[in-house]
Amino acid sequence: MQLVREDSSHRTSTYRLDAKILPAAKRTAKPTPELERETHDILGRAVEELKGQTFQVSRIDPVRSEDGSVVYYDVTVRP
């Protein structure tokens, strides 16, 4: 898990989440409510500044490999 971008004007932070962390059934190329819940839960447990905080997943962007499979998700959150 790594912080890839902070935007203070919009009060958002974007974290890169390895797709392998997610159960295979939830690794989708399009954001779904299940993917949003799963990424929210993982970030809430793994990112120190989000632990115990209320935050919202505002965007999920899949990052694909050359073969088209999703390798990462860039997950943007805001308080």
Side-chain angles (χ1 to χ4, degrees), residues 24-37:
K26 297 203 176 158
R27 291 182 216 155
T28 63
K30 294 182 180 180
T32 64
E34 293 82 14
L35 179 61
E36 184 177 324
R37 276 193 297 276

Side-chain angles (χ1 to χ4, degrees), residues 2-51:
Q2 123 189 37
L3 177 66
V4 292
R5 185 172 43 254
E6 285 189 295
D7 183 341
S8 58
S9 64
H10 291 102
R11 295 181 45 211
T12 61
S13 299
T14 302
Y15 296 90
R16 181 155 288 175
L17 179 71
D18 191 326
K20 293 176 192 167
I21 293 174
L22 297 165
K26 297 203 176 158
R27 291 182 216 155
T28 63
K30 294 182 180 180
T32 64
E34 293 82 14
L35 179 61
E36 184 177 324
R37 276 193 297 276
E38 193 74 27
T39 57
H40 183 281
D41 291 348
I42 291 168
L43 291 171
R45 288 190 308 264
V47 177
E48 196 61 41
E49 53 268 14
L50 297 177
K51 288 181 181 178

Side-chain angles (χ1 to χ4, degrees), residues 7 10-13 50 53-58 77-79:
D7 183 341
H10 291 102
R11 295 181 45 211
T12 61
S13 299
L50 297 177
Q53 302 296 316
T54 301
F55 66 94
Q56 174 184 3
V57 172
S58 61
V77 300
R78 66 174 168 227

